[in-house]
Amino acid sequence: MKTISENTCFDGVQGVYSHASAACQCDMTFGLFLPREARDGPVPLLWYLSGLTCTHENAMTKAGAQAWAADQGIALVFPDTSPRGPGVADDEAYDLGQGAGFYVNATQDPWSPHFRMWDYVSRDLPDLLTENFAIDPDRQSITGHSMGGHGALTLAMNLPGRFRSVSAFSPICNPTGADWGRKQLSAYLGDDETAWEKHDASLMMCKAGFDGPILIDTGSDDQFIDLLRPETLAAAIAERRQPATFRLQPGYDHSYFFVSSFMEDHIAFHAQALWA
Amino acid sequence: MKTISENTCFDGVQGVYSHASAACQCDMTFGLFLPREARDGPVPLLWYLSGLTCTHENAMTKAGAQAWAADQGIALVFPDTSPRGPGVADDEAYDLGQGAGFYVNATQDPWSPHFRMWDYVSRDLPDLLTENFAIDPDRQSITGHSMGGHGALTLAMNLPGRFRSVSAFSPICNPTGADWGRKQLSAYLGDDETAWEKHDASLMMCKAGFDGPILIDTGSDDQFIDLLRPETLAAAIAERRQPATFRLQPGYDHSYFFVSSFMEDHIAFHAQALWA
């Protein structure tokens, strides 16, 4: 593991590190905020999965999350959204390939050698974090934005017991039924749609649900709302009688001005579960 | 005036606008955050002047300021740091020309036609804001980072009565005595150093002081601290018996991870003066 930068931030440390990922077979970069309390022992960890085109850096600099994580004594990890580098496949479109990993393990060419973001965020990076930093592996929660909200919800529902709580900002809720999803799931996983199901938050909600609290915020003026399909997840939550808070926030769009506006709420929500 | 974007943010609006500046003789872009309270009538205004290489955008996306301004019902304006555009002079160095206006009115070629940032932030932009937005011109305060901290301090001390309070994050404190200053003041104002004095916060502190509260934060591990020369301003404050809070913050550097860590303090400090 290599330290790229470490900056004092809210009396903790905002670090950026890179490491050779066994899952992705390339070097991966991530951001990690450790609150002051991590000097004295392991702290809870909140995962933040980012959206299309993002790297480890966007949320780390624009979401205003460190202020609230420092208040709550919680670490934040900001993984990248895909494998990267000269030997890694890519596509000219912004929504496929590098910057658009969709948190799946690709089985199709040319993606399968490196695009294993599911394993990366569920196994590879967690192992690295608990080995190298003062992180309590028994206290983890997960959130994300857009494609990252999709990742957070699907990981949480597919890995029962791993995360104490899950939240999402304007998540892609039904990728098997929208242009943000069908294209990518087909490219990464092939045309057998049964392989797609575990990667659809609305389908997973119908099938499995989540054994913990859920918080979802989407802007009522989100310019991508037709691609996100929040109505499918809302209906699935209601049909399952899943305990959850699902909010349409009046006037907000898809930007980090929206994400930062509700970051305090989300971190307080996770803190309640993480410190219970 | 042209609206470039408006995003709902902390129940207010983060806008970006451009306009033809009479002072700079070119189009200028700025960010403006209006809290919810501005729907009902004029609100106080806090100026945020940015540092070298920044545009209107850096602090607007990375400083986490809107959260606290919304709490306090205060507007924030984020001006650009220089004139820009194809007809505007520039230099290859990052610290001269576009992105490095130093908040002065240039008198020297090739800078004098456009580089009039003093007039822009003290007259041009204030007039535009009070004409077009719900801003109370009698309730203004000012802050800034690095070169912008220099701008905030020198404007506040040169325009008595304009600003109720002034603060700065890692300001350039003594540009007449450091490489961040001598090069630029010479280029923009010529070699007669008497013209430089009003643009040096430490000299202005000795000569005039400020009729209101002052808050200054600098990181003890600021990588540019030798260029900032905080010791000159600290000494001037003490010699003048100027009411002020001057803090060296342990472990922090020059980045926005530092700025965002203390933004809540600074906005609360200004709010006290603005709502008095």
Side-chain angles (χ1 to χ4, degrees), chain A residues 64 80 148:
Chain A
D80 203 344

Side-chain angles (χ1 to χ4, degrees), chain B residues 1-59:
Chain B
M1 200 182 66
K2 199 173 85 181
T3 300
I4 294 175
S5 63
E6 287 184 330
N7 299 80
T8 303
C9 181
F10 288 95
D11 211 17
V13 176
Q14 177 60 60
V16 176
Y17 310 92
S18 71
H19 66 116
S21 162
C24 294
Q25 290 288 307
C26 64
D27 283 348
M28 295 290 286
T29 302
F30 64 94
L32 178 70
F33 172 74
L34 287 175
R36 183 189 180 84
E37 289 78 358
R39 298 178 200 173
D40 302 322
V43 296
L45 176 64
L46 176 60
W47 291 76
Y48 183 99
L49 304 185
S50 281
L52 288 167
T53 76
C54 288
T55 68
H56 67 282
E57 197 181 8
N58 300 61

Side-chain angles (χ1 to χ4, degrees), chain A residues 218-268:
Chain A
T218 303
S220 70
D221 289 10
D222 192 308
Q223 63 270 45
F224 302 112
I225 201 161
D226 292 342
L227 295 163
L228 304 177
R229 294 175 56 79
E231 63 279 8
T232 60
L233 184 57
I237 285 170
E239 280 167 22
R240 193 179 180 80
R241 319 296 193 240
Q242 165 76 47
T245 301
F246 183 93
R247 306 187 296 197
L248 264 287
Q249 298 287 5
Y252 288 89
D253 59 26
H254 201 71
S255 69
Y256 269 85
F257 295 116
F258 160 64
V259 173
S260 60
S261 296
F262 296 97
M263 188 54 77
E264 181 180 15
D265 275 11
H266 282 243
I267 290 185

Side-chain angles (χ1 to χ4, degrees), chain B residues 70-156:
Chain B
D71 271 0
Q72 303 280 1
I74 289 170
L76 299 168
V77 61
F78 304 98
D80 203 347
T81 58
S82 78
R84 295 182 193 270
V88 176
D90 201 4
D91 189 275
E92 284 183 6
Y94 76 97
D95 61 356
L96 190 67
Q98 295 185 32
F102 261 79
Y103 306 100
V104 303
N105 288 334
T107 57
Q108 307 296 305
D109 284 335
W111 311 109
S112 54
H114 298 286
F115 281 74
R116 300 184 64 81
M117 289 300 290
W118 183 271
D119 281 356
Y120 178 68
V121 297
S122 68
R123 213 170 54 199
D124 216 9
L125 187 52
D127 288 351
L128 184 89
L129 293 177
T130 50
E131 278 163 28
N132 290 279
F133 299 97
I135 298 293
D136 179 354
D138 296 327
R139 293 176 190 268
Q140 296 186 62
S141 290
I142 192 164
T143 186
H145 174 231
S146 195
M147 176 182 77
H150 142 78
L153 289 162
T154 53
L155 281 156

